[in-house]
Amino acid sequence: MKRYGFLWMIAILLIGTMAACSDNSSSSSDGGSGGEGKIELFSWWTAGGESEGLQALMDQFKEEHPDIEIENAAVAGGGGSNAKAVLANRMQGGDPPSTFQVHGGDELLAGWVAADKMQPLNDLYEKNNWKEVFPQELIDMVSKDGNIYAVPVDVHRGNVVFYNKSVFEENNIEPPKDWNEFLEVAEELKSNGITPLALGDKNVWPSTMVFESILQANLGAEDYNKLWNGEIPMDDERVVKSAEMFKKVLGYVNEDHSARAWQDGSQLVADGKAAMNIMGDWANGYYKSKDLKPGEDYGWFASPGTEGEFQVITDTFGLPKGVENPEQVKEFLTVLGSKKGQDAFNPKKGSIPARTDTDMSKYGKYSTDTIKDFKNAKLTPSLAHGSAAPEQVVTKVNQAVNVFVTQQKVDQFIESLKQSVSSLK
Amino acid sequence: MIKGSSDRIWSIIFILPSIILIGIFVYGFISWTGYVSLSEWRSLVPDYSFAGFENYLNLFKDFRFQADIRNTIFFTILFIGAVAIMGQLLAVLIDQNIKGESVFRNLFLFPMALSFVVTGVVWQWLLNPSTGVNLLLEKIGLSPKWYISTEVLFGIPIGKIEFGIPVAIIAIVIAAVWQMTGFSLAMYLAGLRGIPEELKEAARIDGASEWKLYRKVIFPQLRPITMSVIIIMAHISLKIFDLIYAMTGPGANYVTDVPALYMFEKTFRAQDYASGAAIAMILLISVAVFIIPYLLMNRRED
């Protein structure tokens, strides 16, 4: 055995390295569930603009309530993939954070509300007169059976195309109004040696957003929603038409799309290597952080055929059951829903406020335009971000999209989509 | 006699806490996972009603899981093969009493000190088809697509998938081999150092050439080491998660997906706890298939 001493040392070293590597993911979860006079604020806002927004919000709260301690318990990871796993563990284990970030719609309602883990906040809405200032569609996205379960803090738009202005000018191109026009424009760009559509779908959902935009154009906001509650079947001819259009559109994306994350896709437009990028308006925050000028370096338009419609992605915060200091958490939610709170948070995050009566002068050019659209447009929840359907369905649709992007077999795609929503009935 | 039995009692008392803890936290939770995998728990609301093997059947019918099995098989074969061969080769080279041996040894061992996540991120950059090593390779007229390729080599359609070697998996094998070769090198080196000098002397006196010496004397002596390398690498490759999560994710058309990734997404993203547990059980069984014969063999040898 002696001659294997060296080997054993290596084995121990190896085990040690592995243990050390796997340790740091859990360390953020042992803060305890907001003990006396402490609020633990759980989110996945750790990147650029968003963490600054969160800090501004916490500063605002500290100013109004210096006696209550507030702690940032953010878990890094784009789209909340890691945060959601940590949250699920803590909620199942009976150790909820004081309040946590969750997308309005099914992610909240079919998830935590259905699991009976949330407390209704109707009294808070009454007290602050919030029913007057939040749009009804937004309140619907956080309500079930007459109870309101969360306070929306921001709104992002999903159906936006960002484009490189100088590329459009050089090629003498106008923003396309529908998807057929989009194809014509794309063909022209392609023949001039420019990638028409930038895509970074390493995490799949950016492709789902493209498909979602096409679906919405073909079905309209209302019927689009019916798709996700099972009233319209997936083999509806408009869905098939959309899948065929999606296939054509995929012919115009950059070849290395699966190696890129969403921001690497958006970067292609910034560099002028690609002309357009279908992305939620967090891309606006990204371009800003790269010192590009909105309206000069890059422009935007609603994705073809969805003008007058607004695909909503909203971040909300609620009150989980089993929290020790619900009154203090409600104080925080009050600040979160207040004009001051929303105006502190949103300009930094790059999103628009969920309230309709905020101070417009604090927002940049893109946001003021979007705030106007938000007031007038027809609102519809986004699938790719968990608002339109339960997570089980979203994951399966993402899976179907991921396969379709490579194989491009329409029949098979429709079949998988049908299977994804089969659990809804 | 009395002393002996009290020793026995003491030894049991000392070992009892760890037996209880392992019983609960390892075997207890394995059985709990098995139980969940047979249930209907497919949302945030636990539902323990019995579903039989439905979750397992659905998995094996699933395109993504079929792709996972294919990827795991070829990743394991290519990874173990490369690690064993390269480790052996490097160990033999280092064993030639070269100058600065310890420098080389540490150089090759060093990647092992990194976490798989770091390796994944670095190789993601290196093998990025538009910015990485391709900038050099393009000069000699090559531009491989590395991990974004969706091609499957020698593909024959089985079930819903094309069964063959996914090109993208090769990129991941390169990264994994870069990290783990040092480990197999160390094991082979220990093995080589363990071979008594007399054996080599005897062979040389009998007039064996250097090549024959290795083939007839040294390599056969290394066979138990190869066995250990295969077992250790197999359980790493079957359970691999962090490297792929950091480097490529599931990949287009699931060419770089593995069961551990799918398990994570099924459980925590789709909130489908029952299917997640089923994947975990399949993983456990596949690792056990490698480990148990090895443990039995070791026991017999002892």
Side-chain angles (χ1 to χ4, degrees):
Chain A
M1 224 42 213
K2 221 176 205 170
R3 61 184 191 193
Y4 288 105
F6 182 46
L7 202 149
W8 278 110
M9 203 187 77
I10 299 298
I12 287 164
L13 191 91
L14 179 81
I15 293 162
T17 333
M18 285 182 164
C21 301
S22 58
D23 236 331
N24 41 23
S25 61
S26 58
S27 58
S28 53
S29 64
D30 51 28
S33 64
E36 266 304 298
K38 191 168 134 197
I39 292 175
E40 198 192 358
L41 183 56
F42 189 94
S43 71
W44 57 82
W45 287 325
T46 54
E50 54 190 30
S51 68
E52 287 152 25
L54 183 63
Q55 192 56 48
L57 185 67
M58 283 167 60
D59 290 344
Q60 180 69 31
F61 178 76
K62 274 180 206 154
E63 201 183 304
E64 290 178 37
H65 300 276
D67 51 320
I68 306 177
E69 198 186 328
I70 183 161
E71 183 187 270
N72 181 2
V75 175
S81 44
N82 302 329
K84 282 179 195 171
V86 174
L87 179 68
N89 270 342
R90 293 189 59 178
M91 295 289 274
Q92 302 278 12
D95 174 33
S98 309
T99 181
F100 61 87
Q101 177 191 5
V102 59
H103 288 140
D106 271 339
E107 188 176 315
L108 169 73
L109 300 175
W112 300 118
V113 172
D116 198 23
K117 301 272 189 196
M118 305 301 288
Q119 300 185 33
L121 297 168
N122 294 25
D123 51 340
L124 211 58
Y125 271 75
E126 297 282 322
K127 204 171 107 192
N128 295 297
N129 230 355
W130 280 346
K131 283 189 177 165
E132 311 292 318
V133 294
F134 288 118
Q136 187 58 41
E137 285 103 326
L138 221 50
I139 296 183
D140 287 346
M141 283 171 77
V142 292
S143 311
K144 198 178 183 184
D145 304 329
N147 286 326
I148 310 175
Y149 286 97
V151 183
V153 56
D154 65 9
V155 169
H156 276 295
R157 187 176 194 177
N159 56 328
V160 195
V161 179
F162 288 92
Y163 68 99
N164 186 309
K165 278 221 152 173
S166 50
V167 169
F168 264 50
E169 272 160 29
E170 277 161 28
N171 292 282
N172 213 1
I173 282 171
E174 290 291 310
K177 290 265 176 291
D178 60 40
W179 282 99
N180 285 321
E181 255 180 55
F182 176 91
L183 291 181
E184 285 167 27
V185 168
E187 191 54 49
E188 201 176 329
L189 285 164
K190 200 180 181 184
S191 62
N192 293 346
I194 290 165
T195 306
L197 185 66
L199 180 67
D201 69 345
K202 186 184 172 198
N203 298 314
V204 185
W205 60 259
S207 311
T208 309
M209 286 189 80
V210 176
F211 180 54
E212 192 172 20
S213 300
I214 301 173
L215 269 181
Q216 200 185 320
N218 281 337
L219 281 107
E222 265 163 48
D223 280 8
Y224 178 68
N225 283 337
K226 287 184 188 160
L227 213 52
W228 304 117
N229 56 25
E231 279 177 48
I232 293 180
M234 277 297 171
D235 46 10
D236 188 284
E237 60 169 352
R238 287 170 294 178
V239 181
V240 180
K241 223 175 88 189
S242 307
E244 273 156 6
M245 178 57 80
F246 185 32
K247 186 175 161 180
K248 285 180 199 155
V249 170
L250 285 170
Y252 295 105
V253 301
N254 45 305
E255 206 190 354
D256 62 349
H257 56 89
S258 65
R260 291 172 181 269
W262 71 263
Q263 62 269 46
D264 309 325
S266 303
Q267 183 62 39
L268 283 176
V269 174
D271 294 342
K273 286 181 187 153
M276 295 175 273
N277 182 216
I278 297 180
M279 190 39 67
D281 56 14
W282 43 89
N284 181 46
Y286 176 75
Y287 288 139
K288 265 191 186 165
S289 73
K290 295 278 163 190
D291 284 332
L292 298 176
K293 290 197 184 63
E296 288 175 38
D297 295 324
Y298 65 97
W300 55 86
F301 52 91
S303 63
T306 63
E307 203 154 333
E309 290 168 15
F310 193 109
Q311 207 182 86
V312 182
I313 297 139
T314 176
D315 289 304
T316 71
F317 283 80
L319 177 61
K321 282 187 177 166
V323 169
E324 284 170 24
N325 49 347
E327 287 313 313
Q328 292 182 337
V329 177
K330 278 186 180 171
E331 291 296 339
F332 171 75
L333 294 176
T334 308
V335 173
L336 189 81
S338 72
K339 219 187 263 192
K340 272 188 180 167
Q342 303 225 330
D343 281 345
F345 175 79
N346 285 301
K348 294 225 162 84
K349 166 105 197 277
S351 46
I352 66 166
R355 287 175 74 115
T356 46
D357 62 343
T358 47
D359 182 1
M360 296 271 273
S361 68
K362 293 198 163 150
Y363 296 86
K365 171 151 172 47
Y366 174 83
S367 299
T368 40
D369 280 9
T370 311
I371 290 171
K372 268 182 227 147
D373 282 349
F374 181 60
K375 274 185 192 153
N376 306 322
K378 201 173 263 178
L379 305 185
T380 175
S382 143
L383 172 81
H385 298 278
S387 296
E391 289 286 340
Q392 295 92 306
V393 176
V394 179
T395 326
K396 283 183 188 158
V397 171
N398 278 337
Q399 195 165 320
V401 168
N402 187 13
V403 173
F404 181 73
V405 169
T406 304
Q407 303 196 343
Q408 311 208 343
K409 291 177 187 151
V410 174
D411 296 346
Q412 214 178 314
F413 184 43
I414 298 294
E415 198 51 45
S416 332
L417 285 177
K418 257 160 86 180
Q419 277 172 17
S420 337
V421 294
S422 60
S423 60
L424 287 173
K425 283 159 206 165
Chain B
M1 183 70 198
I2 293 166
K3 192 168 179 289
S5 73
S6 89
D7 266 2
R8 205 181 169 75
I9 289 169
W10 277 112
S11 65
I12 289 175
I13 288 174
F14 275 117
I15 212 168
L16 203 60
S18 63
I19 288 185
I20 292 173
L21 288 176
I22 288 177
I24 296 172
F25 289 106
V26 177
Y27 297 98
F29 281 109
I30 287 176
S31 2
W32 176 247
T33 307
Y35 177 66
V36 169
S37 75
L38 300 174
S39 76
E40 304 248 11
W41 187 3
R42 298 202 190 91
S43 68
L44 288 171
V45 193
D47 175 0
Y48 298 119
S49 39
F50 188 68
F53 285 94
E54 199 190 321
N55 295 314
Y56 291 89
L57 285 177
N58 285 339
L59 276 180
F60 284 108
K61 278 189 268 177
D62 186 2
F63 172 88
R64 182 168 177 182
F65 195 69
Q66 292 179 358
D68 288 356
I69 294 174
R70 170 196 68 198
N71 298 343
T72 305
I73 291 174
F74 288 107
F75 178 74
T76 304
I77 294 173
L78 295 174
F79 169 67
I80 294 180
V83 164
I85 291 169
M86 291 202 33
Q88 207 153 342
L89 198 74
L90 290 173
V92 168
L93 289 180
I94 283 186
D95 198 36
Q96 305 299 317
N97 287 325
I98 47 167
K99 241 185 188 171
E101 181 202 308
S102 64
V103 175
F104 284 103
R105 209 171 49 202
N106 289 328
L107 213 62
F108 289 127
L109 266 176
F110 197 63
M112 237 179 60
L114 296 177
S115 122
F116 263 134
V117 175
V118 178
T119 311
V121 172
V122 170
W123 282 93
Q124 182 200 10
W125 291 333
L126 284 175
L127 298 182
N128 186 313
S130 42
T131 57
V133 289
N134 275 19
L135 295 181
L136 290 174
L137 291 177
E138 268 162 17
K139 294 200 172 125
I140 54 168
L142 290 174
S143 54
K145 287 164 89 182
W146 299 116
Y147 55 84
I148 67 159
S149 166
T150 52
E151 210 181 323
V152 175
L153 296 177
F154 314 115
I156 33 167
I158 294 181
K160 287 181 179 164
I161 57 159
E162 192 94 339
F163 190 84
I165 306 171
V167 176
I169 214 89
I170 295 171
I172 294 176
V173 170
I174 292 174
V177 167
W178 177 80
Q179 173 142 30
M180 295 313 295
T181 297
F183 179 68
S184 88
L185 157 88
M187 288 182 75
Y188 279 117
L189 199 56
L192 282 172
R193 296 283 152 86
I195 298 171
E197 202 57 37
E198 298 87 68
L199 271 180
K200 297 184 202 165
E201 291 286 303
R204 286 202 183 100
I205 288 166
D206 286 346
S209 65
E210 208 56 14
W211 165 242
K212 217 167 180 187
L213 169 73
Y214 272 98
R215 210 163 55 107
K216 298 278 186 187
V217 180
I218 293 179
F219 288 146
Q221 291 275 322
L222 290 178
R223 211 169 285 155
I225 307 275
T226 305
M227 202 60 210
S228 306
V229 167
I230 290 176
I231 298 298
I232 291 170
M233 293 304 151
H235 96 270
I236 290 175
S237 86
L238 290 173
K239 294 189 298 191
I240 194 140
F241 173 84
D242 32 11
L243 176 71
I244 296 178
Y245 192 80
M247 190 168 160
T248 62
N253 209 19
Y254 297 113
V255 281
T256 58
D257 198 39
V258 287
L261 270 184
Y262 194 22
M263 176 178 79
F264 177 76
E265 290 200 351
K266 261 277 182 226
T267 316
F268 295 115
R269 254 183 231 166
Q271 295 155 359
D272 186 343
Y273 288 82
S275 302
I279 300 172
M281 290 312 283
I282 295 171
L283 263 180
L284 178 74
I285 292 165
S286 66
V287 174
V289 165
F290 272 89
I291 298 284
I292 289 175
Y294 177 71
L295 291 178
L296 289 178
M297 198 181 74
N298 266 9
R299 243 181 86 137
R300 225 177 301 144
E301 273 173 12
D302 284 354

